[in-house]
Each structure stands twice: as structure tokens, then as C-alpha cells.
Amino acid sequence: RDTGEMARHFGVTRTPEAVLIGRNGRAVYQGRIDDNPESDRVRSRDLAVALLSVYAHRRVARPRTVSFGSPIYTAPKEL
């Protein structure tokens, strides 16, 4: 069952929204997958660029981008 715990933890508010987690357990990239919902109009593949940076042991140049898509709602955390 999806409880929304990870979305709440990382502050994810839209779907799709990518979170790339580094070795330390912290987000090294969070945001959009690319810059356009229409695949033939994509000019920047932001998540792929972040993945390649991490793979090459480099700092992610743009660690945050604004995601677009449908808002997600998570249920309040149960006590």
C-alpha cells in the first residue's frame, strides 16, 4: 500500500516529479524529468543530465527544477 511517506519526506507535489537520491540518502536532484510533456518538443532532459553527473561523480549543476503535471495529494500521516 502506498502511504505517501516518501512523497511527504521529499516534498513531492506533482506527478511526475523525479527525486534522485545520493549515497548519503539526500536528494541530489528533484524536479521534472524533462522540459516538455510533448516528447517531440523536449530540449532539456534534466533527470538524465543529473543521472550522468552522479554517475561521473560530479556535482549536479541544476539540483532543482520546477516539475509540471498533476498535483498529488497524500493522506495525513497516521499517528
Side-chain angles (χ1 to χ4, degrees):
R1 176 174 161 226
D2 180 11
T3 64
E5 184 177 343
M6 294 300 286
R8 276 193 301 277
H9 178 77
F10 287 105
V12 172
T13 60
R14 301 214 167 259
T15 184
E17 182 171 346
V19 179
L20 179 57
I21 302 168
R23 288 183 182 196
N24 62 3
R26 295 187 180 150
V28 295
Y29 173 81
Q30 183 168 349
R32 64 191 186 195
I33 295 168
D34 54 45
D35 67 341
N36 202 306
E38 297 182 37
S39 60
D40 60 333
R41 294 186 175 191
V42 171
R43 300 183 89 158
S44 177
R45 299 190 184 283
D46 304 296
L47 177 58
V49 170
L51 283 164
L52 290 171
S53 294
V54 169
Y55 183 74
H57 302 282
R58 292 190 313 242
R59 182 183 62 82
V60 175
R62 289 184 70 191
R64 294 285 303 212
T65 59
V66 177
S67 61
F68 49 86
S70 301
I72 60 172
Y73 304 98
T74 56
K77 187 175 181 178
E78 295 179 22
L79 299 177

